[in-house]
């Protein structure tokens, strides 16, 4: 056999052609297959090396392996062991525990370099790079620089009874004399464009200047009655006890004047209290309004149980997700949105019940001793 030429069977040649034509293999396998095909055609090692992009020594080793060990050994190789890890199991455990501990004084969190320096300072290793350290937390799916804000609440019997109180109200059929009304509010910024926006055109979205002027804030009071698909949004300049009290008065006298008792579902905001009525009106008037209202509070950290939260989310996405410059414009836009939603009688298909809660949220219920 010539020194620089090998002979392939038809089956071997077909296999190598398929490898080099598909290209869906490891780079080493792909290049060694090219080397064998070119070697069979009689090309010199230097030319093969230049065309494939490898060294001459690689060409010689590949051909030699083919002659001595066969095709499979020539185009593949055993996994390389790599350098031994500098950290044993005990040191890795120490590193992970350190990454989960409080960061040093003056630092918000651990960095890879800080962890590497700590290992060296404590004589765990003589030297180590931050890149080597990085692989250990990554292998254990640990991200010491990441922090998530979360509501860590204590739940128990108080949470459970308030949750079931709200859920039982949602189950009840529509009663015109005793309507169930979800209540909430949200702040809203008034923003003025410094430059007029450029309208959209084919191939280009609408463009607005990133600069704007802040024109104050305001508040939105929202009432939502899911059984009939009705909502009302009122824009106020502030959100005080007096604003809430006047809003409740309109709720009783204007929106539900014939109701015997309005059952309110609301969260635990400080102004959501009957005391707001007594702080705003004479005692006789406050009592008159209060006798028309029945208060049902969602649990603390359980405002998701209030359906009006969903309606507010829809309001933000459909109407408020833009720059609105003043109160008058905001009122007009919100009123138009409200009229459209009420005309459609859009509502919320609430599926979650007390029965579901006792199964899915069983962990929240207190454990009762048989005694």
């Amino acid at each position: 056999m010539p020194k620089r030429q090998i002979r392939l069977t038809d089956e071997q040649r077909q296999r190598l052609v398929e490898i080099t034509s598909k290209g869906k293999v490891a780079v080493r396998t792909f290049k060694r297959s090219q080397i064998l095909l070119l070697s069979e055609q009689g090309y010199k090692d230097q030319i093969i090396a230049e065309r494939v992009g490898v060294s001459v020594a690689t060409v010689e080793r590949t051909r030699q392996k083919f002659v001595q060990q066969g095709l499979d050994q020539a185009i593949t190789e055993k996994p390389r062991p790599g350098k031994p890890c500098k950290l044993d199991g005990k040191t890795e455990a120490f590193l992970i525990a350190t990454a989960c501990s409080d960061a040093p004084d003056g630092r918000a969190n651990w960095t890879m370099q800080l962890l590497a320096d700590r290992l060296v300072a404590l004589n765990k290793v003589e030297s180590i790079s931050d890149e080597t350290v990085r692989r250990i937390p990554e292998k254990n799916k640990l991200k010491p620089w990441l922090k998530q804000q979360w509501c860590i609440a204590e739940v128990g019997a108080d949470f459970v009874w308030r949750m079931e109180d709200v859920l039982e109200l949602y189950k009840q059929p529509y009663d015109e004399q005793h309507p169930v009304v979800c209540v909430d509010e949200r702040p809203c910024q008034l923003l003025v464009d410094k430059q007029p926006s450029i309208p959209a055109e084919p191939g280009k979205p609408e463009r607005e200047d990133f600069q704007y002027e802040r024109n104050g804030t305001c508040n939105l009071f929202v009432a939502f009655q899911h059984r009939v698909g009705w909502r009302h949004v009122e824009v106020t300049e502030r959100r005080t006890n007096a604003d809430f009290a006047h809003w409740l008065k309109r709720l009783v006298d204007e929106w539900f004047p014939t109701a015997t008792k309005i059952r309110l579902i609301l969260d635990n905001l400080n102004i959501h209290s009957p005391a707001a009525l007594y702080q705003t009106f004479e005692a006789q008037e406050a009592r008159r309004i209060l006798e028309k209202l029945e208060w049902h509070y969602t649990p603390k950290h359980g405002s998701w149980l209030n359906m009006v939260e969903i309606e507010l989310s829809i309001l933000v996405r459909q109407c408020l997700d833009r720059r609105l410059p003043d109160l008058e414009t905001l009122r007009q836009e919100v009123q138009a949105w409200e009229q459209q939603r009420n005309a459609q009688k859009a509502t919320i298909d609430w599926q979650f019940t007390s029965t579901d809660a006792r199964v899915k949220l069983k962990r929240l219920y207190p454990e009762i001793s048989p005694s």
Side-chain angles (χ1 to χ4, degrees):
M1 179 185 299
K3 182 180 180 182
R4 291 183 176 84
Q5 189 174 3
I6 63 173
R7 289 193 175 92
L8 300 170
T9 65
D10 292 341
E11 183 180 350
Q12 290 173 333
R13 188 180 305 104
Q14 181 63 29
R15 181 181 173 188
L16 293 176
V17 169
E18 289 179 358
I19 290 174
T20 55
S21 60
K22 292 180 180 179
K24 296 181 179 180
V25 294
V27 175
R28 288 195 181 97
T29 301
F30 184 83
K31 289 188 174 183
R32 291 175 183 179
S33 299
Q34 288 182 312
I35 290 171
L36 293 177
L37 288 172
L38 293 172
S39 295
E40 187 193 29
Q41 298 174 29
Y43 288 96
K44 294 184 178 180
D45 291 356
Q46 185 64 41
I47 296 175
I48 296 174
E50 292 175 358
R51 292 187 61 173
V52 178
V54 296
S55 66
V56 174
T58 299
V59 175
E60 292 176 349
R61 283 197 303 270
T62 301
R63 190 178 56 254
Q64 185 178 6
K65 275 190 175 183
F66 174 78
V67 173
Q68 296 177 350
Q69 303 177 32
L71 179 61
D72 288 335
Q73 295 297 325
I75 61 176
T76 59
E77 64 178 18
K78 295 180 181 179
R80 299 184 180 185
K83 295 177 65 176
C85 183
K86 283 191 172 184
L87 306 181
D88 57 19
K90 186 176 180 180
T91 309
E92 279 193 16
F94 176 82
L95 173 60
I96 294 170
T98 304
C100 293
S101 66
D102 293 335
D105 293 341
R107 292 300 188 104
N109 47 55
W110 286 100
T111 65
M112 298 302 104
Q113 189 59 57
L114 284 175
L115 291 170
D117 294 342
R118 177 59 61 91
L119 291 177
V120 174
L122 295 177
N123 295 321
K124 299 293 183 181
V125 292
E126 291 185 4
S127 64
I128 192 170
S129 68
D130 58 338
E131 177 61 22
T132 302
V133 169
R134 181 190 64 80
R135 298 191 191 104
I136 307 304
E138 182 180 38
K139 182 175 68 174
N140 291 273
K141 298 182 179 180
L142 178 64
K143 300 177 180 179
W145 60 88
L146 183 63
K147 182 185 295 183
Q148 290 184 340
Q149 289 189 335
W150 195 254
C151 175
I152 306 174
E154 294 183 5
V155 295
D158 184 72
F159 185 99
V160 167
W161 86 258
R162 291 183 185 275
M163 174 180 65
E164 290 206 355
D165 179 49
V166 171
L167 295 177
E168 288 302 312
L169 275 180
Y170 288 159
K171 284 174 54 179
Q172 295 183 17
Y174 174 65
D175 184 350
E176 187 176 358
Q177 293 300 311
H178 300 84
V180 176
V181 182
C182 301
V183 171
D184 204 1
E185 63 283 299
R186 80 177 301 276
C188 185
Q189 284 194 92
L190 300 173
L191 304 174
V192 181
D193 284 318
K194 283 193 171 184
Q195 299 289 340
S197 61
I198 302 174
E201 57 187 61
K204 292 183 180 179
E206 180 183 0
R207 285 156 288 174
E208 65 177 12
D209 189 16
F210 73 95
Q211 290 185 325
Y212 58 84
E213 290 181 0
R214 206 163 169 268
N215 195 29
T217 60
C218 61
N219 175 69
L220 304 177
F221 282 116
V222 184
F224 177 62
Q225 192 180 8
H226 77 287
R227 284 297 181 191
V228 294
W230 174 89
R231 77 275 299 135
H232 178 66
V233 185
E234 185 164 324
V235 180
T236 61
E237 294 184 7
R238 293 171 300 277
R239 187 194 66 186
T240 64
N241 284 313
D243 293 311
F244 183 60
H246 283 288
W247 186 76
L248 288 177
K249 186 176 186 301
R250 288 190 288 277
L251 183 76
V252 168
D253 295 341
E254 299 178 20
W255 308 324
F256 298 94
T258 62
T260 303
K261 186 78 73 172
I262 304 169
R263 294 174 288 183
L264 301 178
I265 296 177
L266 62 174
D267 61 24
N268 296 273
L269 187 68
N270 59 340
I271 66 171
H272 291 169
S273 168
L277 294 168
Y278 283 89
Q279 293 175 356
T280 308
F281 303 113
E282 294 292 337
Q284 183 178 357
E285 176 68 0
R287 195 69 213 169
R288 180 189 72 83
I289 299 171
L290 189 57
E291 286 178 349
K292 295 286 292 289
L293 301 174
E294 183 179 295
W295 304 70
H296 297 264
Y297 291 98
T298 59
K300 188 177 181 182
H301 304 303
S303 58
W304 56 271
L305 288 161
N306 195 340
M307 273 196 232
V308 76
E309 294 276 355
I310 301 174
E311 193 66 18
L312 272 170
S313 176
I314 297 170
L315 170 61
V316 171
R317 294 198 309 271
Q318 294 184 349
C319 179
L320 303 182
D321 190 18
R322 50 180 165 158
R323 295 174 187 171
L324 297 168
D326 50 58
L327 281 172
E328 186 58 32
T329 303
L330 177 61
R331 287 192 177 103
Q332 292 175 2
E333 294 298 316
V334 166
Q335 184 179 10
W337 176 86
E338 175 188 314
Q339 290 174 351
Q340 293 169 9
R341 292 279 290 173
N342 284 340
Q344 297 168 354
K345 294 187 178 181
T347 188
I348 295 168
D349 184 16
W350 187 272
Q351 299 285 332
F352 194 60
T353 66
S354 297
T355 304
D356 297 325
R358 292 167 190 169
V359 176
K360 297 179 180 180
L361 301 180
K362 183 180 179 180
R363 68 188 185 282
L364 304 183
Y365 284 72
E367 294 184 5
I368 308 301
S369 172
S371 61

